[in-house]
Amino acid sequence: PTEQLSTTERVGMEGIAGLCVLSWVGLLLGVTGAFTTLVLWIALAVVAMLVIIPLSSYARDVLRLCRELLAAEYTGWTRFLAGFVVFMLVTALLVALMPPTEWDALMYHMLLPKRLLQTGQLVAYPDNHYTGFPQTVEMMFAWANGLFGRDTSAALVHYGAGLLGLVTVAGTLRRYAAAHVMWLAVALLLGGGSFWLGFTREYVDMAVFALSAGALAVLTAWRVHGDPAWVVVMGLLAGLAVGVKYTAGMLAIALGVAVLVTQPRRVIRHGLVMAGVALLAYLPWGLRGLAQYGNPFFPFFFGGAGWDSVRAAGFSSSGGGLLASGPAGIAQLVLLPFVATVAGTEGGFRYSFDAGVWLMPLAVTAIWGWDRLTDDERPLAKTAGLLLLPMLALWVAGGALSGIGAQTRLVIPVFPAFAMLSALGFESMSRWPRRPMNVYFIVRALVIFALGASAFGVVLTLANRNPAGVILSAATPQNTRDGYLFNNTGAHYVALQQLDDVLGDGARVRFAYEPKAYYCPAAVTCDPDALTDHWLHGLRTVGEPDAIFEQWRDDVDGVLFFQFAYDTFFLVDDNVGNREENALFLPALERHMELLWEDAAGAYQIYGWRE
């Protein structure tokens, strides 16, 4: 029943679902050892021919959407919002064109695509357990990098997924509200510094966001029109989302609650259909996990390759949740979205995400102004709230029990609902009485100021990273690829490039306290410290420090030591590991190995064996 959706919604939902299906094709090629550039181009041509009719229809929808946006009449307020959105998207695109530099990208999001393209085959990689997770978006990265031969293609895929999510959010709002409401929702999302950064990174969160936006659009259509076919689509989107990131399971649970509340008498039937379709959508990655790691949900529940009780305990020990913080922690749980807004900063403690000043708080105004929402707007507001509440409950539970459970990036499925509720709530404020105080005028001024501050922050980011200089190939050392990587990863990139010069081609290198190995030279085999537990795991399984190094002597030719992290984190914070055990590492290292190279600041060191 696609006529129940707008053209804009269809463009967003069909686009992200199509990318996920293409990822399945890549998975099949990978497990059969046929993941090569030539085969990728052939497979892409075959897929395009098989879906030529829906692909043509999709292209027409995209063109129709572009014409509608260009032909629309804009007020001054709408022009401001649209201009902000365009500015944020264009600037994000500039950074997305740069080589990978972000922590998680270098640690695992880009590692599997690199190894897959090097060997043409998808296998288990016990040295980095993250590669055993579902790899839907990473497989998209491998497709892009394999087709075009450039690792700068990967972030563009993530950018595209985020764009499809924004298109879906905008389309759903436009179906029930005025045009400026959809522009406001998109602007509020992009006004969050971390959300904007998501468009520039080789991460997976934007795909979860896009699938969550599609699920909300479909749930709304089902609640309004009652067509049971939408239950199947909800199951498909939920399963695809879990195939991107395990934490997207909160979306599947929230959809189940929405089905129960909407049609309680048919909950068993609808629940079985939705759950069955979701499992089928997840099945390709579950089978890969079972075949290569011995666990369809690796590494959870059943362990698997390269996993043991020691490693599982270390992986789960993220520190105490907010409940362990006493009354202050409980207060944070009660007001979690607002605390995450105020205390959330990119890379900061606990929430580690800048969601923008207004995205979450404005959602409350949808409740205050409920009686001023139109009959068209209320169904969407109800559905967004219905989907949001179970996910908020799961967020609170995660934050209460886990040290990282409160992280905003782990609950990215809440963003479409928050954006829609905030935009609708703000729209309701425009209908409030203007006396004795014009609240709408004041809040709009504050929103404009906040969006302007976000845009200024982006300008500073561009000035610091200078992507335009690299794109234009300005003739200075700083504007080369190597210069950009050095400026944005510090000594990390330099240290890895030294491995083959210092230890020789064909060397095997074990990393100590350094989980990022993407830029490992092709002539060197790197063993990243993915859980930063190479040392602690050795102590708890092998025993004595000297025995560990004797075992390492048989396995590797050298050690890359990230001393900066060791000194400033692992010898200070007992929540990460045992301080006394970590303190044993450096004396043992110096007894058995000798320093061969270190960077100017002493952050990284390369060690070889003593004779």
Side-chain angles (χ1 to χ4, degrees):
T2 55
E3 69 280 354
Q4 296 170 9
L5 298 178
S6 65
T7 300
T8 313
E9 289 171 298
R10 290 198 302 271
V11 167
M13 290 172 51
E14 292 173 3
I16 191 63
L19 288 175
C20 291
V21 172
L22 199 62
S23 183
W24 291 346
V25 177
L27 172 61
L28 178 62
L29 295 176
V31 296
T32 57
F35 204 94
T36 64
T37 298
L38 177 61
V39 174
L40 288 178
W41 280 109
I42 294 173
L44 186 63
V46 171
V47 170
M49 287 188 291
L50 291 175
V51 297
I52 187 65
I53 295 177
L55 195 61
S56 300
S57 176
Y58 184 77
R60 289 194 296 271
D61 282 345
V62 172
L63 291 174
R64 188 180 302 115
L65 171 60
C66 293
R67 287 197 298 267
E68 289 175 359
L69 290 175
L70 292 174
E73 294 184 3
Y74 294 102
T75 63
W77 170 235
T78 310
R79 281 196 296 272
F80 167 76
L81 294 173
F84 174 80
V85 168
V86 170
F87 171 79
M88 298 297 276
L89 289 175
V90 170
T91 51
L93 180 61
L94 290 176
V95 182
L97 290 168
M98 295 298 98
T101 59
E102 298 292 340
W103 185 282
D104 286 1
L106 303 185
M107 183 167 64
Y108 63 99
H109 290 310
M110 291 294 289
L111 187 63
L112 182 135
K114 178 181 179 178
R115 291 179 173 179
L116 178 56
L117 288 167
Q118 285 175 338
T119 64
Q121 186 171 12
L122 181 64
V123 298
Y125 299 107
D127 66 317
N128 191 320
H129 75 282
Y130 292 107
T131 58
F133 290 6
Q135 299 284 307
T136 296
V137 176
E138 288 84 353
M139 192 60 69
M140 297 178 196
F141 294 164
W143 265 100
N145 294 350
L147 290 173
F148 301 106
R150 299 176 63 89
D151 62 2
T152 51
S153 305
L156 296 179
V157 174
H158 198 232
Y159 179 95
L163 190 60
L164 291 170
L166 293 179
V167 165
T168 305
V169 168
T172 304
L173 274 166
R174 187 66 187 93
R175 185 153 49 101
Y176 296 96
H180 61 270
V181 180
M182 81 173 183
W183 283 111
L184 176 62
V186 175
L188 290 175
L189 286 166
L190 290 171
S194 296
F195 192 84
W196 177 84
L197 281 173
F199 279 74
T200 73
R201 293 167 163 169
E202 300 81 2
Y203 282 17
V204 302
D205 305 289
M206 290 297 103
V208 176
F209 166 71
L211 291 164
S212 302
L216 179 51
V218 170
L219 178 62
T220 306
W222 177 62
R223 283 169 54 84
V224 170
H225 301 284
D227 195 318
W230 289 127
V231 177
V232 176
V233 180
M234 283 190 284
L236 173 65
L237 294 172
L240 291 176
V242 176
V244 172
K245 193 168 188 173
Y246 282 137
T247 53
M250 69 186 315
L251 173 65
I253 295 172
L255 287 171
V257 172
V259 167
L260 171 63
V261 172
T262 303
Q263 293 191 6
R265 294 184 179 180
R266 299 183 181 179
V267 65
I268 296 178
R269 176 185 174 185
H270 288 329
L272 289 174
V273 169
M274 191 167 66
V277 174
L279 287 173
L280 285 174
Y282 176 76
L283 186 61
W285 294 109
L287 290 176
R288 183 255 175 165
L290 184 63
Q292 296 187 347
Y293 289 86
N295 182 353
F297 304 102
F298 178 84
F300 302 104
F301 310 120
F302 312 114
W307 204 255
D308 56 27
S309 59
V310 174
R311 188 143 280 166
F315 182 68
S316 302
S317 62
S318 56
L322 286 167
L323 279 182
S325 302
I330 295 173
Q332 289 186 53
L333 287 173
V334 173
L335 300 171
L336 189 57
F338 306 101
V339 176
T341 295
V342 174
T345 56
E346 173 63 25
F349 175 70
R350 185 74 71 181
Y351 303 102
S352 192
F353 195 96
D354 172 15
V357 177
W358 290 106
L359 178 65
M360 297 184 190
L362 265 181
V364 178
T365 61
I367 301 174
W368 290 341
W370 185 260
D371 58 341
R372 298 187 183 278
L373 293 175
T374 67
D375 292 338
D376 289 332
E377 294 166 346
R378 285 198 188 100
L380 177 57
K382 286 181 180 178
T383 304
L386 177 60
L387 191 65
L388 181 60
L389 288 176
M391 292 193 287
L392 287 180
L394 292 169
W395 189 8
V396 169
L401 303 175
S402 170
I404 63 171
Q407 279 196 12
T408 310
R409 192 162 64 89
L410 298 180
V411 293
I412 206 75
V414 306
F415 276 52
F418 264 124
M420 293 184 191
L421 283 172
S422 295
L424 290 171
F426 185 83
E427 178 67 6
S428 74
M429 293 175 61
S430 68
R431 302 160 191 158
W432 291 10
R434 302 301 171 91
R435 294 182 179 180
M437 182 171 63
N438 191 340
V439 176
Y440 174 71
F441 175 82
I442 295 172
V443 174
R444 188 167 80 164
L446 292 174
V447 168
I448 292 172
F449 177 79
L451 295 180
S454 297
F456 181 70
V458 166
V459 171
L460 294 180
T461 299
L462 293 179
N464 181 51
R465 296 195 182 189
N466 190 27
V470 179
I471 293 171
L472 296 174
S473 300
T476 63
Q478 292 79 13
N479 290 334
T480 63
R481 175 184 170 92
D482 285 352
Y484 181 85
L485 289 172
F486 176 75
N487 290 337
N488 289 279
T489 67
H492 170 79
Y493 179 71
V494 175
L496 267 63
Q497 296 309 297
Q498 291 292 324
L499 290 175
D500 54 353
D501 292 336
V502 175
L503 297 173
D505 290 352
R508 295 183 60 88
V509 185
R510 178 149 296 159
F511 288 11
Y513 302 95
E514 172 55 88
K516 308 183 298 297
Y518 175 69
Y519 286 115
C520 179
V524 174
T525 300
C526 293
D527 179 14
D529 199 355
L531 286 175
T532 55
D533 72 340
H534 273 167
W535 181 247
L536 291 178
H537 187 267
L539 284 176
R540 293 164 189 176
T541 56
V542 177
E544 293 298 320
D546 292 334
I548 296 171
F549 273 95
E550 289 303 322
Q551 185 184 79
W552 286 13
R553 182 185 290 270
D554 296 332
D555 296 337
V556 299
D557 301 299
V559 168
L560 175 73
F561 177 35
F562 189 9
Q563 180 151 8
F564 176 80
Y566 176 78
D567 291 341
T568 59
F569 190 56
F570 291 94
L571 294 185
V572 174
D573 193 343
D574 283 327
N575 289 327
V576 175
N578 186 281
R579 184 185 305 176
E580 289 77 14
E581 288 178 303
N582 281 314
L584 298 174
F585 172 76
L586 186 55
L589 174 69
E590 293 176 341
R591 284 198 303 271
H592 290 268
M593 307 188 79
E594 60 182 345
L595 178 65
L596 302 179
W597 177 91
E598 69 177 333
D599 69 280
Y604 284 90
Q605 299 171 350
I606 299 175
Y607 282 82
W609 295 106
R610 294 186 184 276
E611 296 297 333

